[in-house]
Amino acid sequence: MTASSTRRTTASRSRIAAVGAIAVAGALLLTGCGDQTKSDDSDTAETSAAPLADKLPKAIRDKGVIKVGSDINYAPVEFRDDSGKTVGIDPDVAAALGKQLGVKFEFQNGTFDALIGGLAAKRYDVAMSAMTDTKDRQEGVDSETGKKVGAGVDFVDYFTAGVSLYTNKGDDQGIKTWDDLCGKTMAVQRNTFSHDLAKDQAKKCTDDGKKALKIEDFATNPEAETRMRSKGADVVSADFPIAAYSTKNAGGGKHFEIVGDQVEAGPYGIAVAKDNTELRDALQAAVNAIIKNGEYEKIVKKWGVEDGAVTESKINGGS
């Protein structure tokens, strides 16, 4: 289901306070846990010691690897540091899950809008890429047309994030709420939850007889930001952790500023094929295990995103 045009505001002020912590976390990038490479011997030892290894499908347990489809261009959730290593919230969570399950999580880069298709084609075992768990994705429905386009996926939820707007610093275009977007040009990453919200708002502007909201969509969020930096767009929309990270780090904090409050808080989920319930349930058990043992708390604190933490993993908790 495409996101409703009636938006619920989240407690954004407390999250905006976390931006400074995200900036501090930037200094830790080189020690991120995204490098999943291990020797065969260590893999064998880890598998035998992993408390939840027997919950995995035998095929995955035997190969010792979970292939992860991800758009590795979405700091701080997943991105490459200066050495080319994959780091971020998702790689750190995956590394912690790997300890529980006795396998490596091997991140493979892909464009966001092709990840679920790649999962269906069995190029990946899971998709983990700041992906919002929605009913449409669960049911394989195109959010724009309402038509069935695939089998859908199951989600193992592990985080919560709202959506933010940000502009060039010192040039907020008078934008405080989504209704202020009428007559503006928005740059956004294609087929994201932000893109759905933008399309809903564009329709609302038209229905209310206001100036049109023009949407320019791009394969990656950095491309959307570049478009705004060049004055081709007035505003960018992205998940709060991404917007916060960009405003604190791009141009040393001089390029962008967040405007208004977060909206539409929803769960991030690890996407798994509908017919792979054994893997789905193993992942849920592993997420709950790292919540219980404190590893999860360490990760969200490291990246300054404690306000998005969950206390329990749910299956298909999105709406």
Side-chain angles (χ1 to χ4, degrees):
M1 179 173 62
T2 302
S4 164
S5 60
T6 302
R7 300 181 175 85
R8 57 191 183 277
T9 302
T10 64
S12 61
R13 284 190 174 85
S14 63
R15 292 194 183 184
I16 290 172
V19 175
I22 292 175
V24 172
L28 300 176
L29 294 182
L30 294 179
T31 60
C33 301
D35 188 355
Q36 309 299 319
T37 58
K38 301 181 182 72
S39 69
D40 290 341
D41 288 344
S42 66
D43 286 345
T44 302
E46 186 172 330
T47 300
S48 63
L52 299 177
D54 61 349
K55 290 186 174 292
L56 284 170
K58 186 177 184 302
I60 288 180
R61 204 163 61 237
D62 288 347
K63 69 182 179 180
V65 173
I66 291 177
K67 294 183 291 183
V68 182
S70 187
D71 179 0
I72 308 174
N73 206 10
Y74 210 50
V77 184
E78 51 261 315
F79 61 108
R80 299 192 192 280
D81 67 13
D82 290 342
S83 71
K85 182 178 176 181
T86 300
V87 297
I89 299 167
D90 280 356
D92 281 3
V93 168
L97 298 180
K99 292 176 186 177
Q100 295 294 315
L101 296 167
V103 293
K104 297 184 295 182
F105 279 70
E106 184 180 276
F107 279 71
Q108 301 179 2
N109 194 34
T111 56
F112 185 83
D113 58 356
L115 294 181
I116 289 180
L119 191 60
K122 301 189 183 302
R123 288 196 296 274
Y124 318 121
D125 298 308
V126 302
M128 188 176 187
S129 192
M131 187 175 289
T132 303
D133 172 1
T134 67
K135 287 294 184 186
D136 278 354
R137 286 174 177 154
Q138 293 168 24
E139 297 170 2
V141 171
D142 184 287
S143 59
E144 188 167 5
T145 65
K147 294 181 179 178
K148 183 84 169 173
V149 292
V153 295
D154 283 336
F155 285 100
V156 179
D157 297 340
Y158 64 99
F159 190 73
T160 300
V163 173
S164 292
L165 300 171
Y166 55 115
T167 65
N168 287 319
K169 195 159 190 174
D171 189 19
D172 66 11
Q173 303 285 320
I175 298 169
K176 300 299 180 187
T177 71
W178 281 71
D179 286 335
D180 296 327
L181 296 175
C182 301
K184 309 296 186 186
T185 299
M186 173 184 282
V188 67
Q189 185 173 3
R190 189 176 305 127
N191 287 352
T192 58
F193 192 54
S194 291
H195 194 189
D196 287 345
L197 292 181
K199 287 183 283 190
D200 281 348
Q201 183 61 47
K203 183 177 185 302
K204 187 172 186 292
C205 290
T206 300
D207 290 348
D208 290 348
K210 297 180 179 179
K211 292 182 178 179
L213 166 60
K214 181 181 178 182
I215 302 168
E216 296 188 2
D217 58 270
F218 297 87
T220 69
N221 197 66
E223 289 176 275
E225 291 179 349
T226 298
R227 180 63 170 164
M228 183 168 68
R229 282 282 296 155
S230 68
K231 306 292 187 180
D234 302 306
V235 62
V236 168
S237 175
D239 292 352
F240 172 76
I242 288 76
Y245 188 88
S246 287
T247 57
K248 293 303 296 184
N249 290 281
K254 297 178 180 178
H255 284 177
F256 307 126
E257 63 179 283
I258 289 178
V259 294
D261 292 338
Q262 288 182 76
V263 298
E264 294 288 355
Y268 283 175
I270 304 170
V272 186
K274 286 282 189 187
D275 61 359
N276 206 346
T277 56
E278 192 175 3
L279 176 58
R280 179 199 68 192
D281 293 346
L283 289 168
Q284 183 190 29
V287 174
N288 283 327
I290 67 171
I291 291 171
K292 185 176 180 180
N293 72 14
E295 284 295 306
Y296 179 83
E297 182 181 10
K298 291 177 183 177
I299 293 166
V300 296
K301 282 185 175 179
K302 169 185 172 180
W303 293 101
V305 292
E306 298 95 320
D307 285 343
V310 297
T311 57
E312 181 184 14
S313 175
K314 296 182 179 180
I315 302 293
N316 296 333
S319 58

